[in-house]
Amino acid sequence: MEEEKILRKLFLGFIHIHILHHAKEHPIYGSWMLEELRGHGYSISSGTLYPILHNMEEEALLYKEEKNVGGKIRKYYTTTEKGNVVLIEARKKAYELFKEIKD
Ligand SMILES: [Zn+2]
């Protein structure tokens, strides 16, 4: 459906902001972030989220650390200084937009 495609594109931006926000508070990993986003009503698959995390790491918005958790390697991501600059700007814009459209 065309509307769904457009919404997905919009939500991708929101999802990036969620990731930067949470990874700034504490290191996050994929399945934790999936649950978080689902709690906000986004139906996103790991096949969509994981490449986003990977790209954000390549863009130096996130810093990756691998930790051994019960014999399994888990990738943890933390927001970098650059990611934080982006988050602050995105937050400003999101708030500005929210104020305008909320009613
Ligand atoms: Zn969130």
Side-chain angles (χ1 to χ4, degrees):
M1 201 204 304
E2 185 65 14
E3 294 93 320
E4 216 155 287
K5 247 189 178 176
I6 293 165
L7 283 171
R8 276 187 176 278
K9 208 157 49 169
L10 280 179
F11 293 165
L12 269 183
F14 300 164
I15 286 167
H16 280 72
I17 298 174
H18 270 285
I19 292 169
L20 289 173
H21 169 72
H22 292 292
K24 192 195 164 189
E25 294 191 318
H26 52 80
I28 57 154
Y29 54 91
S31 58
W32 184 89
M33 198 61 225
L34 273 181
E35 281 309 305
E36 217 288 318
L37 289 168
R38 285 174 183 159
H40 284 293
Y42 296 101
S43 56
I44 181 172
S45 68
S46 53
T48 303
L49 180 68
Y50 288 45
I52 291 174
L53 291 171
H54 182 71
N55 286 339
M56 289 175 77
E57 184 209 342
E58 295 221 309
E59 289 163 343
L61 299 172
L62 296 175
Y63 164 74
K64 184 179 78 182
E65 239 176 325
E66 296 189 338
K67 285 184 200 165
N68 191 317
V69 182
K72 268 187 76 179
I73 298 296
R74 186 183 273 169
K75 293 170 185 163
Y76 281 86
Y77 296 94
T78 307
T79 299
T80 62
E81 196 45 53
K82 181 181 172 188
N84 193 40
V85 169
V86 170
L87 174 63
I88 289 167
E89 192 55 36
R91 187 194 285 135
K92 260 194 257 170
K93 290 280 196 293
Y95 183 60
E96 207 39 54
L97 175 65
F98 169 72
K99 278 195 298 180
E100 187 167 74
I101 68 176
K102 67 179 162 51
D103 305 314

